[in-house]
Amino acid sequence: RGFTVVIINYFSYISYMNYKWSLINDNVTEEDRKVLSDFILSNQRLTNGEKVREFESIWSKWLGVKHSVMVNSGASGNFISIAMVKELLGIGEVIVPPLGWVSDVSSIVQLGMTPVFVDISMDNLSISTENIKKAITDKTKAIVLVHCLGFNAMNEEIIKIAKDNEILIIEDCCEAHGATFNEGRVGSFGDISVFSYYFGHHITTIEGGMVCVNDDELYDLARVFRSHGLT
């Protein structure tokens, strides 16, 4: 919490100094509105239809993963990712940074899991490898890596730690569309990754998110949790 307060105060200071770092104001263009209007007028099915499946396929190819499941928000993606961990590994602890979005933590609590906060590194604003090592217990089920503000949070040692301890890695990429690690994009290295297409993010579906996986069982679980038990 203390670090978050520092960030807020810092940007308040920048604003006070008359720097103009505006947030997104209008990234849905008039042409976008026309396309949306035409779609609504010409289609009876307005949810989870052909365009959603097309976007899931394109996104998977761009990211370099086998499966993508679109959901109604990045926050829903966070919830589904923890639900998948709980289904596969049972109730336990989830390592999570104190710097992230509220649904990174609330999803863990709502599903009866225990959040274990570990501190971040100032190099990339993500949880450090050493702090992850100290936090792992026999109850640890997953590690949530938040790629904060476009920085890459992944490294080879974290991947090895998770594999050696049979822990799932969840990548929260809601602020890091297109960020890279080694030769790939973030979101393609963990067991599960989550993206957001909220109004103020890199690309937008106004609301919306994506859960991405390579494992077929995880893919089925993601669809089950998205659609109330239906695949």
Side-chain angles (χ1 to χ4, degrees):
R1 289 180 183 174
F3 185 76
T4 305
V5 171
V6 170
I7 290 289
I8 292 170
N9 287 341
Y10 174 73
F11 282 105
S12 297
Y13 174 74
I14 291 294
S15 176
Y16 177 76
M17 295 297 290
N18 295 319
Y19 288 95
K20 300 296 184 182
W21 291 357
S22 63
L23 299 175
I24 290 295
N25 293 316
D26 188 15
N27 61 345
V28 180
T29 65
E30 185 65 26
E31 181 60 28
D32 292 333
R33 292 181 174 89
K34 289 178 180 177
V35 171
L36 181 58
S37 298
D38 290 342
F39 177 81
I40 291 173
L41 291 171
S42 59
N43 287 271
Q44 290 185 325
R45 180 165 184 160
L46 301 179
T47 182
N48 200 17
E50 181 181 345
K51 286 295 182 183
V52 170
R53 292 191 292 274
E54 182 181 348
F55 185 35
E56 289 173 338
S57 176
I58 292 171
W59 189 262
S60 294
K61 290 176 183 176
W62 173 82
L63 183 61
V65 297
K66 191 174 180 180
H67 303 296
S68 294
V69 177
M70 193 168 187
V71 294
N72 65 349
S73 68
S76 290
N78 291 144
F79 187 89
I80 287 172
S81 67
I82 300 298
M84 293 157 69
V85 172
K86 183 178 178 180
E87 181 70 21
L88 287 177
L89 302 179
I91 293 176
E93 298 174 347
V94 179
I95 292 173
V96 65
L99 182 61
W101 190 240
V102 63
S103 54
D104 289 309
V105 180
S106 62
S107 298
I108 298 169
V109 175
Q110 288 165 359
L111 285 159
M113 309 282 269
T114 302
V116 176
F117 293 99
V118 302
D119 205 0
I120 64 168
S121 166
M122 292 300 289
D123 293 332
N124 62 0
L125 302 181
S126 180
I127 51 180
S128 68
T129 306
E130 289 306 311
N131 286 334
I132 290 173
K133 288 179 182 178
K134 294 174 185 177
I136 290 176
T137 71
D138 58 359
K139 298 179 181 178
T140 306
K141 305 298 182 182
I143 302 168
V144 175
L145 286 182
V146 178
H147 300 286
C148 187
L149 298 175
F151 290 107
N152 164 52
M154 185 64 74
N155 63 56
E156 294 288 355
E157 192 169 3
I158 291 175
I159 295 173
K160 185 177 186 303
I161 290 169
K163 185 175 181 180
D164 290 346
N165 290 277
E166 298 183 346
I167 297 169
L168 296 180
I169 296 178
I170 300 169
E171 295 184 71
D172 184 329
C173 311
C174 292
E175 294 182 351
H177 308 58
T180 58
F181 167 61
N182 287 347
E183 305 260 331
R185 302 186 195 276
V186 300
S188 63
F189 296 94
D191 299 281
I192 308 165
S193 62
V194 180
F195 289 84
S196 171
Y197 310 120
Y198 174 66
F199 182 78
H201 286 160
H202 295 72
I203 65 172
T204 182
T205 55
I206 305 177
E207 294 285 354
M210 197 78 82
V211 177
C212 304
V213 298
N214 282 307
D215 181 82
D216 291 343
E217 183 179 7
L218 288 174
Y219 175 54
D220 283 340
L221 282 176
R223 291 192 296 160
V224 162
F225 285 118
R226 173 184 67 180
S227 298
H228 313 287
L230 302 176
T231 59

